[in-house]
Amino acid sequence: MGAGAGFMLGQLFVLFLLFLLLAGHTAPRQAGGQLRYAVPEELEHGAFVANLGEDLGLDVSTLSARRFRIVSRAGARQHLEVNLENGILFVNERIDREEVCETGGTCLLHLQLLVESPLELYRVEVEVLDINDHAPTFPWQEYVLEVAESAVLGARFPLESAQDPDVGTNSVHTYRLSPNGFFSLEVQMRSDTSKFAELVLERALDREQQRTHRVLLTALDGGIPERSGTAHILIKVLDANDNVPVFDQPSYGVSLPEDAPLGTLVIQLNATDLDEGPNGEIEYSFSGHAPPRVRELFHIEPRSGQVLLKGTLDYERASLHELYVQAKDHGPSAVAVHCRVLVRLLDINDNAPEVTLTSVSTPVLEDAPPGTVIAVISVLDRDSGDNGRVSCEVGPDVPFELRSSFRNYYTLVTTQALDREVVPEYNVSITARDMGSPALLTHSTLTVPVSDVNDNAPRFLQPSYSVYVMENNAPGASICSVSALDPDCQQNAYLSYSIADGHIHGMPVGTYVSINSDSGHMYALRSLDYEQIRSFQIEVQAQDAGFPPLSTNVTVHIFVLDQNDNAPVIVSPLPRNGSVATELVPRSARPGYLVGTVSAVDADAGLNSRLSYQLLQATDFTLFSVAPDTGELRTLRSFLEQDATQQQLVVQVQDSGQPALSATMSLLLSIVETMPQTLSDFSEFSLSPEASSSSPLTLYLLVSLGSISLTFLLAILILTAIRCRGNWHSHQDDSCILLCCRCCPVSRTSADGLKTSNLMAQPPAGMAATCLDVPVGGPPGYCYKVCLGPESAQSDFMFLKPCSPLRNNEKDHGKWSQPGQNLQVSKQIKQPNTDWLPPSTQQPALKRYQTEHCW
């Protein structure tokens, strides 16, 4: 018991030393520009492998944010994993070296480590160290060995070899044979360093004395602790068959392409036996320790010795297959002889490259600088040599290129500036091609969307807009719509419209029009009047919602269209004393005699202001006619004795608008024998020489009338000057000097004449006056000077007030404007439109017998 306990303690101490030795292998070693670690197999989950964060010089606190990870192929088992909190590489699942690496030699796990922001790639190799976790095993627990009794001393009998999946010292190290008096054991080594055992006959056999012998064969490995496997051998002593088959050579080698079809002859084996009969008939078969994989791939014809291909070969899985074949005759005490067949596979380019998108950073900003990394791409070809060398390229006409970082690793980067408005998305074709013959290639497509940047200002559909609006529009009515486009997308393409600050005739533009900020529809905020404003322009701005926002302006020209909303206004002749206009016509007038001209104006424009005249009513339509275009009133025939001395006429003035508007006036014509020397309500007319010289009394009357008128005029001027001087300081605004208007009497001084002359055009204070002849209703021989300021040409308003302060003798002020008057003087009278006024030769020329003055 004491010895057994000491042995167990010794084993535990050896195991502890082995663990310390293996743990020391995890220290990183720099191998060819990459880290290399060593870890024993069969460690439990979570076992420490290495501190990658420290060995790679990475900041452990940023590993999670930078997505530090192990890149592996899809479907591959993840034996190792990285803890992102401390950067430690640990065992994720149990590693069985014999499962990971089917073949012997060094077993390496190749890890690709990827970290982003910035993108970095590391390669790490982890060597899986073998531990002695498998005991040697024999193909059979008990088998029979037949030995001829005639076997000579020293004859050797190969035994079935034990198999141990472990490698190195942990594999089969030696064999032991249980003690017996006839056989000894000798261990031999093959060329591949594997060992096998042979029984050596030490004593002659005698079948009659002992027909069978039993021995125990033990296979031992070199691991710590040592493991073993046993097999029972039953040795039958046979009658003499003293010749064994012999192969042409102990070892054969053959090369075979990996794409060889099933049934292909691999090799023809040949063994000879000098015996005859059944002792010389040879049968071929796989030896007992031939691996199962070999039995799946190859088949041996027992009689002919042909080795045929039974399964599909794969160079990438195993490039070399070792076949152990035995030959045995059918004679008694047959002895099996063995040979080895090495089948080397020739690589065929049967694997196309595999393209893997390891990391993709999309979408990419359109203002990303050239050289921006879009993706990391790995390519893999399982073939070897030139068949496994791969080149990678992208399709033409794309602003991207591939840059090689490590072997079979590429980064996809931009080569020039991108423009989302030209190409919003790229389908990048990546082609991987190997160097085999024929070459195999793989196509992979990567979609790279381009995200928008606010780099385009809005653009209006027209360089400018012209809008035509009919006057008298309803306030709030839509007048037009502007529209702009922005080639950007999403928020950068959302547009809002506004009107730039400005003034129209001194008023803010916002009091005239408004705009819908979303749709661009514009609305009139007031009713427009063609006679006040004919056109104006505004600036409309379209601004996107990007950062920073971009904007564009466009000019909108708004033209007001005329509407027939003003009736004609008759300016001559004007009614007298609130009744009708009167005129004297000499009875001696001949046909075509110009009685006078009816003059009217229309504030509209175009056809709306084109006037026509017609005689609507008349006492006798055969006596007078009115020219439709000029308004000239002429006689049609000579007067007869039976014609009435007073002729009542109604003249209508009508414009050409739709609908047409009109005005009428009444005219009372008195037929007299002799014409007085006074101005008529019409324009001047000529008296016949006979009438002017009919009586010498006419000359005396004219001289008397002129003298009286001159005296009256001087008196009025003196009185006016005295009153103006006395009221200069207290009534400066009412001064006659500033009134710029003067009543000019000629022959009549009646109160009615004075009353009708107290109308004037009042210019704004402080502005220079301009005098204009305006005929108004009044007694013959009176005219009026209307004084207007410079702004009157820009305004539709005339401000009228009395020419002078009220006199004491002008008490009947209420008689100035009687209800029956045809002409009412408004506070606001629109300026007449001059587009269709008659020519100056047809305008009335009033006779004036005295000079008129205006201060």
Side-chain angles (χ1 to χ4, degrees):
M1 289 296 293
F7 178 77
M8 290 297 295
L9 290 175
Q11 283 186 330
L12 291 176
F13 179 75
V14 171
L15 285 175
F16 179 73
L17 292 179
L18 176 62
F19 176 77
L20 292 180
L21 178 62
L22 293 179
H25 286 153
T26 62
R29 291 177 292 161
Q30 198 75 14
Q34 62 186 9
L35 295 176
R36 185 167 182 175
Y37 302 92
V39 60
E41 66 174 336
E42 300 296 337
L43 291 181
E44 296 295 330
H45 172 76
F48 175 86
V49 177
N51 191 336
L52 291 178
E54 179 180 350
D55 296 338
L56 295 177
L58 300 176
D59 187 0
V60 177
S61 62
T62 63
L63 294 181
S64 179
R66 296 181 65 187
R67 299 183 62 197
F68 184 65
R69 61 189 183 276
I70 298 176
V71 179
S72 60
R73 296 192 305 272
R77 298 179 64 178
Q78 195 76 16
H79 295 289
L80 302 174
E81 191 55 69
V82 178
N83 189 333
L84 298 181
E85 295 180 358
N86 50 27
I88 292 178
L89 182 68
F90 63 93
V91 176
N92 187 43
E93 62 179 21
R94 186 180 64 85
I95 304 174
D96 187 354
R97 183 192 178 284
E98 289 73 27
E99 179 182 352
V100 174
C101 303
E102 295 183 359
T103 60
T106 304
C107 182
L108 296 176
L109 293 178
H110 299 278
L111 304 181
Q112 284 79 32
L113 304 177
L114 184 68
V115 62
E116 298 181 358
S117 301
L119 190 66
E120 294 179 316
L121 188 66
Y122 303 94
R123 298 186 66 182
V124 175
E125 288 183 354
V126 178
E127 180 182 0
V128 181
L129 301 176
D130 184 52
I131 64 173
N132 192 22
D133 56 341
H134 295 87
T137 57
F138 289 91
W140 300 282
Q141 295 296 319
E142 182 176 354
Y143 61 94
V144 178
L145 176 64
E146 295 178 346
V147 180
E149 65 176 349
S150 60
V152 297
L153 297 178
R156 297 174 178 272
F157 305 97
L159 301 177
E160 290 290 342
S161 300
Q163 297 294 319
D164 192 340
D166 296 327
V167 296
T169 58
N170 295 327
S171 63
V172 175
H173 178 65
T174 188
Y175 293 88
R176 281 204 304 253
L177 188 68
S178 60
N180 64 87
F182 294 90
F183 298 93
S184 64
L185 189 67
E186 187 170 332
V187 179
Q188 301 289 340
M189 181 179 293
R190 299 187 181 95
S191 59
D192 58 351
T193 70
S194 62
K195 296 179 179 180
F196 64 96
E198 292 180 338
L199 280 178
V200 180
L201 183 62
E202 300 291 343
R203 225 173 110 184
L205 299 175
D206 188 358
R207 182 177 178 276
E208 287 71 21
Q209 293 182 3
Q210 188 175 354
R211 301 176 59 135
T212 62
H213 301 271
R214 288 185 175 274
V215 293
L216 179 65
L217 180 62
T218 302
L220 302 172
D221 62 20
I224 301 175
E226 185 181 70
R227 294 179 180 270
S228 62
T230 60
H232 295 276
I233 302 176
L234 176 61
I235 301 173
K236 292 182 179 181
V237 181
L238 304 176
D239 287 338
N241 179 18
D242 54 354
N243 290 292
V244 296
V246 177
F247 282 99
D248 295 342
Q249 54 191 61
S251 179
Y252 298 87
V254 64
S255 297
L256 189 67
E258 63 171 324
D259 61 347
L262 301 181
T264 299
L265 176 64
V266 178
I267 192 173
Q268 173 69 59
L269 297 177
N270 185 31
T272 57
D273 193 326
L274 298 179
D275 295 327
E276 295 182 352
N279 294 331
E281 295 179 359
I282 300 174
E283 182 176 339
Y284 301 90
S285 64
F286 284 114
S287 61
H289 60 272
R293 178 64 177 166
V294 171
R295 296 177 185 270
E296 293 175 0
L297 295 177
F298 302 97
H299 168 69
I300 298 179
E301 289 291 337
R303 295 290 182 181
S304 64
Q306 291 180 342
V307 179
L308 303 176
L309 184 61
K310 178 182 176 183
T312 302
L313 301 176
D314 190 353
Y315 177 89
E316 288 70 38
R317 183 172 180 178
S319 60
L320 177 68
H321 295 282
E322 191 173 10
L323 285 65
Y324 291 98
V325 181
Q326 66 179 11
K328 184 178 180 181
D329 59 28
H330 290 174
S333 303
V335 177
V337 294
H338 300 79
C339 75
R340 185 179 66 163
V341 179
L342 294 177
V343 180
R344 293 181 176 84
L345 299 185
L346 302 177
D347 185 34
I348 300 298
N349 192 23
D350 58 345
N351 292 281
E354 300 175 6
V355 178
T356 303
L357 300 177
T358 305
S359 178
V360 180
S361 300
T362 57
V364 58
L365 291 174
E366 62 175 323
D367 62 348
T372 300
V373 177
I374 305 300
V376 176
I377 301 169
S378 63
V379 293
L380 175 66
D381 195 317
R382 300 181 184 276
D383 296 322
S384 62
D386 289 342
N387 297 332
R389 292 195 331 198
V390 181
S391 63
C392 200
E393 60 185 13
V394 297
D397 302 327
V398 292
F400 303 98
E401 68 177 2
L402 289 174
R403 295 178 181 175
S404 178
S405 53
F406 293 99
R407 183 176 181 270
N408 293 339
Y409 277 86
Y410 298 86
T411 55
L412 181 67
V413 299
T414 59
T415 59
Q416 64 188 41
L418 307 179
D419 191 346
R420 190 205 66 82
E421 289 71 40
V422 177
V423 181
E425 183 178 85
Y426 291 92
N427 290 320
V428 182
S429 176
I430 302 172
T431 302
R433 186 192 311 270
D434 61 24
M435 303 299 177
S437 180
L440 299 180
L441 54 87
T442 299
H443 295 286
S444 181
T445 301
L446 172 62
T447 300
V448 181
V450 182
S451 61
D452 186 44
V453 174
N454 191 25
D455 56 349
N456 290 279
R459 179 176 55 86
F460 283 94
L461 300 183
Q462 299 177 208
S464 64
Y465 290 84
S466 296
V467 181
Y468 298 89
V469 182
M470 186 67 69
E471 67 171 330
N472 301 317
N473 59 290
S478 175
I479 58 175
C480 72
S481 177
V482 296
S483 181
L485 297 177
D486 194 320
D488 295 323
C489 67
Q490 297 178 353
Q491 180 178 350
N492 296 330
Y494 178 79
L495 303 181
S496 61
Y497 301 89
S498 62
I499 297 177
D501 293 337
H503 290 80
I504 301 175
H505 288 199
M507 297 292 292
V509 69
T511 62
Y512 279 83
V513 292
S514 66
I515 190 169
N516 187 306
S517 61
D518 295 327
S519 64
H521 290 291
M522 297 178 61
Y523 303 91
L525 297 181
R526 61 168 64 182
S527 180
L528 302 177
D529 191 345
Y530 175 84
E531 288 72 37
Q532 293 183 4
I533 181 170
R534 298 193 176 187
S535 67
F536 57 92
Q537 66 182 30
I538 60 175
E539 291 288 329
V540 176
Q541 182 185 75
Q543 179 174 290
D544 59 30
F547 182 82
L550 302 178
S551 62
T552 301
N553 289 5
V554 71
T555 302
V556 179
H557 301 273
I558 299 178
F559 299 93
V560 182
L561 301 179
D562 184 41
Q563 192 176 44
N564 193 24
D565 58 343
N566 293 282
V569 176
I570 299 175
V571 297
S572 175
L574 294 177
R576 180 178 302 172
N577 299 330
S579 58
V580 296
T582 62
E583 183 57 44
L584 301 180
V585 181
R587 184 175 288 274
S588 60
R590 296 179 181 181
Y593 173 80
L594 178 61
V595 178
T597 301
V598 178
S599 298
V601 294
D602 195 316
D604 294 322
L607 289 176
N608 295 330
S609 66
R610 187 170 187 176
L611 303 180
S612 62
Y613 303 84
Q614 65 176 343
L615 191 59
L616 194 62
Q617 295 179 9
T619 305
D620 187 350
F621 281 99
T622 63
L623 271 178
F624 302 98
S625 67
V626 176
D629 296 329
T630 63
E632 292 181 347
L633 181 62
R634 295 180 181 270
T635 59
L636 293 175
R637 59 179 176 83
S638 300
F639 291 99
L640 304 178
E641 292 294 334
Q642 61 270 24
D643 289 334
T645 58
Q646 286 191 339
Q647 296 287 331
Q648 182 77 30
L649 303 180
V650 177
V651 179
Q652 183 188 53
V653 183
Q654 180 175 289
D655 60 26
S656 301
Q658 292 294 332
L661 301 179
S662 63
T664 59
M665 68 160 292
S666 297
L667 180 62
L668 181 61
L669 299 180
S670 297
I671 302 173
V672 296
E673 295 297 335
T674 302
M675 290 294 295
Q677 296 300 319
T678 59
L679 274 176
S680 67
D681 292 339
F682 283 113
S683 57
E684 70 173 355
F685 56 90
S686 299
L687 296 177
S688 61
E690 295 82 359
S692 62
S693 62
S694 61
S695 174
L697 184 60
T698 304
L699 179 59
Y700 302 110
L701 291 176
L702 290 176
V703 173
S704 301
L705 183 59
S707 301
I708 295 172
S709 299
L710 180 58
T711 303
F712 179 75
L713 177 60
L714 292 176
I716 292 298
L717 292 176
I718 293 172
L719 291 175
T720 302
I722 294 174
R723 185 168 180 83
C724 290
R725 185 176 182 86
N727 298 333
W728 175 262
H729 298 289
S730 60
H731 302 286
Q732 185 175 1
D733 292 337
D734 295 333
S735 175
C736 292
I737 297 177
L738 299 180
L739 292 179
C740 296
C741 181
R742 199 60 191 162
C743 302
C744 306
V746 178
S747 61
R748 297 180 61 181
T749 57
S750 64
D752 293 338
L754 291 176
K755 291 176 182 177
T756 58
S757 65
N758 287 337
L759 293 178
M760 65 165 289
Q762 175 63 35
M767 303 302 294
T770 301
C771 294
L772 178 68
D773 289 338
V774 177
V776 296
Y782 279 84
C783 68
Y784 301 92
K785 284 285 189 172
V786 178
C787 303
L788 304 177
E791 288 78 2
S792 299
Q794 303 175 1
S795 174
D796 289 338
F797 300 97
M798 295 180 62
F799 302 93
L800 307 178
K801 77 174 188 177
C803 180
S804 62
L806 292 177
R807 305 285 189 244
N808 294 331
N809 58 350
E810 298 173 352
K811 297 180 179 179
D812 297 333
H813 186 274
K815 296 181 181 179
W816 291 357
S817 177
Q818 299 178 5
Q821 249 180 322
N822 291 338
L823 178 63
Q824 299 293 333
V825 180
S826 168
K827 292 184 178 180
Q828 295 183 358
I829 300 178
K830 296 183 179 179
Q831 290 286 347
N833 188 290
T834 60
D835 294 344
W836 295 94
L837 287 179
S840 60
T841 57
Q842 298 177 357
Q843 293 181 355
L846 303 180
K847 287 186 177 181
R848 294 173 178 84
Y849 291 89
Q850 294 186 6
T851 304
E852 300 167 353
H853 300 278
C854 182
W855 291 270

